[in-house]
């Protein structure tokens, strides 16, 4: 969030002399700094310790209990977890140079644990001769990493979250750039090798993920896909995403569940700038179509990620869906502000204006409204995509903002229907409300319906109209509906002074 706020601050500063987001950046940086320094300097209960036997940084709880901290003491998932720390430290170091000089030597061991280059630094201060193996998790033969550490499995080593593995080396790359700029950290040539090695780890991990995790069914336009060796059977490839890749097998499931959503999203998190490099647009187009069939079943904790996935192919539709997510219910690695920032920086995004339309020229209908689902608030809230108002078959859906005035187009055009009156629709009412079948106007009815409530036409039509609340200024201002001057019981209300 600090990174997002800073980027927004840079943009706002270039547009005006005001610096409204500066406060957000400063406060966010302070919070990030306090969390990072507490973790790095072992002020937390579960401290980091150096394992002299195997040359790595492990947690104290992990050292005592093989199952603690996701098996950290047995080197399981280090690159997943330390990648987040390296990324956060790189952001902190970019914001505050003193962070690097004061705490850089605490961050370096985490970098060396997962992305040590062996070119330099392992025998330099402040590591006191500590040993770290070369790129602990990378399999140079396979072209990607394995996450299972020292735990033995019948199918050999394995890895589930290819995207978190990519995030690790992205964090390592960013930190190596920040670190190489600091004083007293190796010479220029050694620092360049450190940065280049991190780039190599990152590039090969992205290539490995696209090759072994991102699948393309044979009925898709494979010819357009650069990284599609079609190494899996057509039946397996129908799932679009590998869940867990072992040395001797592959599955479309995860350690925590078999739902397709879990398989896809554990290989999509976290959302950072490198995400757009990891996923090709052509791949996302097919993959999201596969996921969208299950969108209504998506738990809120995962929904933010699914929306970010959609944003890579349809940011405007994703923006409409994002209005309905709630940060405290999202996964702890994501927030609504991050989702909105991600969507707004995707190609093709047009920020909706106050009228609910965007600056692009959308599909329109004769009454001036938009036919696109995401530009009709209630349709977007229901997760609908494509055209809704009307749909491809000409039917105007009940969620449309602007209903057709042609009564033969859809029954929802009748102003007596609940859906045509905003508060009734918001209350989830269906059928006729204004009036209801018994002739009663419910309290949720619009004060001035688009068509006047029909009454029996009498010979004295003018007199009948003059009794309507909407025809008397004072009554209309009070939001009264029906007949006021007089009421059906013959009583003149207080707002009818002029008619008495």
């Amino acid at each position: 969030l600090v990174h997002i706020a800073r980027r927004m601050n840079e943009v706002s500063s270039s547009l005006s002399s005001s610096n409204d987001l500066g406060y957000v950046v400063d406060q966010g940086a302070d919070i990030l700094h306090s969390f990072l320094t507490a973790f790095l300097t072992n002020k937390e209960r579960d401290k980091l310790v150096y394992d002299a036997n195997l040359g790595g940084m492990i947690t104290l709880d992990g050292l005592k209990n093989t199952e603690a901290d996701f098996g950290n003491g047995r080197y399981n998932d280090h690159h997943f977890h330390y990648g987040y720390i390296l990324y956060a430290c790189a952001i902190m170091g970019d914001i505050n140079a003193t962070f690097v000089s004061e705490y850089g030597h605490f961050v370096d061991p985490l970098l060396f644990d997962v992305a040590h280059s062996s070119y330099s630094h392992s025998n330099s201060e402040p590591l006191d001769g500590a040993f770290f193996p070369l790129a602990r998790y990378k399999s140079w033969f396979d072209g990607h990493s394995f996450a299972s550490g020292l735990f033995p499995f019948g199918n050999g080593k394995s890895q589930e979250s290819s995207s978190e593995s990519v995030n690790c080396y992205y964090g390592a790359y960013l930190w190596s750039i920040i670190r190489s700029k600091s004083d007293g950290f190796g010479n220029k040539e050694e620092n360049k090798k450190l940065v280049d090695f991190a780039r190599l780890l990152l590039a090969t991990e992205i290539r490995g993920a696209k090759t072994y995790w991102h699948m393309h069914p044979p009925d898709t336009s494979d010819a357009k896909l650069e990284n599609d060796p079609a190494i899996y059977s057509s039946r397996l490839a129908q799932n679009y995403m590998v869940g867990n890749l072992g040395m001797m097998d592959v599955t479309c499931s995860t350690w925590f569940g078999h739902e397709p959503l879990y398989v896809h999203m554990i290989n999509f998190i976290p959302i950072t700038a490198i995400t757009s490099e990891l996923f090709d647009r052509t791949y996302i187009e097919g993959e999201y179509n596969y996921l969208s069939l299950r969108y209504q079943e998506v738990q809120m904790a995962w929904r933010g990620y699914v929306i970010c996935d959609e944003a890579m192919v349809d940011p405007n539709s994703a923006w409409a869906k994002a209005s309905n997510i709630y940060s405290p219910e999202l996964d702890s690695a994501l927030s609504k502000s991050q989702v909105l920032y991600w969507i707004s920086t995707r190609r093709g995004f047009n920020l909706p204006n106050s009228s609910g339309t965007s600056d692009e020229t959308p599909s329109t209908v004769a009454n001036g409204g938009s036919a696109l689902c995401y530009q009709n608030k209630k349709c977007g809230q229901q997760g609908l995509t494509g055209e809704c108002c009307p749909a491809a078959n000409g039917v105007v859906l009940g969620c449309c903002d602007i209903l057709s005035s042609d009564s033969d187009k859809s029954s929802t055009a009748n102003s007596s229907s609940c859906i045509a009156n905003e508060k009734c629709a918001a209350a989830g009412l269906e059928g006729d409300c204004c009036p209801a079948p018994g002739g009663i106007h419910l309290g949720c009815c619009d004060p001035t319906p688009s068509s006047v409530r029909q009454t029996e036409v009498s010979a004295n039509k003018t007199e009948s109209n003059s009794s309507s609340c909407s025809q008397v200024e004072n009554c209309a201002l009070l939001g009264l509906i029906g007949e006021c001057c007089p009421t059906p019981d013959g009583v003149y209300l207080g707002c009818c002074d002029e008619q008495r």
Side-chain angles (χ1 to χ4, degrees):
L1 293 182
V2 173
H3 175 57
I4 294 173
R6 188 181 184 208
R7 292 294 299 159
M8 293 175 66
N9 183 53
E10 291 171 351
V11 173
S12 66
S13 297
S14 66
L15 295 177
S16 67
S17 58
S18 63
N19 199 19
D20 297 334
L21 291 172
Y23 174 79
V24 177
V25 175
D26 293 340
Q27 291 297 308
D30 288 343
I31 295 172
L32 179 62
H33 187 276
S34 65
F35 276 110
L36 286 176
T37 54
F39 174 79
L40 295 170
T41 58
N42 276 343
K43 292 180 180 178
E44 304 288 350
R45 183 197 60 79
D46 189 11
K47 305 179 186 301
L48 286 171
V49 296
Y50 175 71
D51 177 7
N53 292 324
L54 296 172
M57 302 300 298
I58 59 177
T59 63
L60 190 59
D61 284 356
L63 179 64
K64 298 175 180 179
N65 181 353
T66 59
E67 300 299 323
D69 299 332
F70 297 91
N72 180 282
R74 296 299 181 270
Y75 292 88
N76 187 67
D77 292 354
H78 275 210
H79 60 323
F80 292 169
H81 302 153
Y82 294 168
Y84 288 96
I85 302 299
L86 292 172
Y87 178 84
C89 289
I91 299 302
M92 190 72 252
D94 189 38
I95 293 173
N96 182 1
T98 61
F99 172 82
V100 182
S101 60
E102 293 178 4
Y103 299 98
H105 60 286
F106 291 106
V107 183
D108 295 336
L110 298 180
L111 171 70
F112 299 149
D113 182 270
V114 297
H116 183 46
S117 68
S118 80
Y119 283 121
S120 62
H121 306 307
S122 64
N123 295 318
S124 65
E125 297 290 345
L127 300 178
D128 299 324
F131 163 77
F132 291 90
L134 173 70
R136 186 190 308 273
Y137 294 92
K138 178 73 75 171
S139 170
W140 297 102
F141 176 81
D142 295 286
H144 61 80
S145 297
F146 287 111
S148 48
L150 300 177
F151 290 98
F153 293 98
N155 62 344
K157 293 182 179 296
S158 62
Q159 178 164 274
E160 184 173 79
S161 182
S162 57
S163 53
E164 285 185 298
S165 185
V166 168
N167 180 67
C168 167
Y169 300 126
Y170 182 49
Y173 171 60
L174 295 179
W175 175 250
S176 66
I177 291 176
I178 296 297
R179 195 64 166 108
S180 64
K181 295 178 181 178
S182 62
D183 296 332
F185 186 77
N187 58 52
K188 184 176 180 180
E189 181 180 354
E190 290 176 340
N191 289 339
K192 183 179 185 303
K193 289 180 178 179
L194 180 68
V195 174
D196 287 345
F197 186 70
R199 285 185 62 195
L200 176 64
L201 292 172
L202 175 59
T204 53
E205 201 69 17
I206 290 176
R207 183 178 179 86
K210 290 182 177 181
T211 301
Y212 297 107
W213 273 266
H214 301 178
M215 299 184 291
H216 308 280
D219 57 347
T220 59
S221 53
D222 298 36
K224 299 179 181 179
L225 301 169
E226 180 180 352
N227 300 298
D228 183 26
I231 59 177
Y232 298 117
S233 68
S234 58
R235 181 179 179 183
L236 186 68
Q238 295 292 335
N239 296 283
Y240 276 93
M241 182 70 78
V242 165
N244 199 302
L245 181 67
M247 284 182 162
M248 299 179 64
D249 64 4
V250 60
T251 66
C252 289
S253 62
T254 72
W255 287 102
F256 54 92
H258 303 293
E259 292 294 329
L261 172 71
Y262 299 157
V263 172
H264 285 257
M265 292 299 101
I266 197 63
N267 284 287
F268 189 72
I269 64 171
I271 307 301
T272 68
I274 204 62
T275 304
S276 57
E277 295 294 329
L278 176 58
F279 292 94
D280 298 323
R281 180 183 176 89
T282 306
Y283 171 75
I284 290 291
E285 287 175 348
E287 187 244 8
Y288 182 74
N289 285 335
Y290 173 83
L291 285 180
S292 64
L293 300 176
R294 301 161 175 81
Y295 181 79
Q296 297 302 328
E297 304 170 7
V298 177
Q299 302 164 6
M300 184 57 73
W302 293 97
R303 187 160 293 195
Y305 293 121
V306 177
I307 291 173
C308 288
D309 188 69
E310 180 187 13
M312 298 181 73
V313 292
D314 191 350
N316 298 307
S317 175
W319 183 273
K321 291 186 177 72
S323 64
N324 295 308
I325 61 177
Y326 181 50
S327 279
E329 295 180 357
L330 298 178
D331 180 67
S332 59
L334 195 65
S335 67
K336 184 172 183 177
S337 59
Q338 186 181 1
V339 173
L340 295 176
Y341 177 80
W342 172 258
I343 296 172
S344 66
T345 54
R346 298 306 94 199
R347 180 184 303 176
F349 173 74
N350 292 277
L351 182 65
N353 57 34
S354 59
S355 63
T357 61
S358 66
D359 294 332
E360 67 177 332
T361 304
S363 299
T364 58
V365 290
N367 57 21
S370 172
L372 300 178
C373 302
Y374 79 87
Q375 290 189 337
N376 290 266
K377 182 178 180 181
K378 293 167 188 172
C379 300
Q381 290 175 345
Q382 295 177 33
L384 302 178
T385 58
E387 295 187 349
C388 293
C389 310
N393 60 3
V395 175
V396 179
L397 302 187
C399 58
C400 297
D401 292 343
I402 303 175
L403 299 173
S404 171
S405 60
D406 299 329
S407 58
D408 59 5
K409 187 175 279 187
S410 171
S411 62
T412 60
N414 184 359
S415 64
S416 67
S417 68
C418 303
I419 196 67
N421 291 266
E422 184 176 2
K423 293 179 181 179
C424 300
L429 301 179
E430 299 178 354
D432 288 338
C433 293
C434 309
I440 300 174
H441 278 66
L442 303 186
C444 59
C445 297
D446 294 342
T448 55
S450 58
S451 61
V452 180
R453 185 185 53 165
Q454 295 187 7
T455 59
E456 291 184 8
V457 179
S458 64
N460 192 354
K461 184 176 181 180
T462 302
E463 181 179 350
S464 175
N465 286 340
S466 65
S467 69
S468 171
C469 304
S470 63
Q471 299 299 314
V472 181
E473 183 178 4
N474 292 336
C475 299
L477 289 174
L478 293 173
L480 301 179
I481 57 177
E483 297 181 0
C484 295
C485 308
T487 65
D489 297 329
V491 177
Y492 282 81
L493 301 183
C495 57
C496 304
D497 290 341
E498 297 178 0
Q499 273 69 34
R500 292 189 181 185

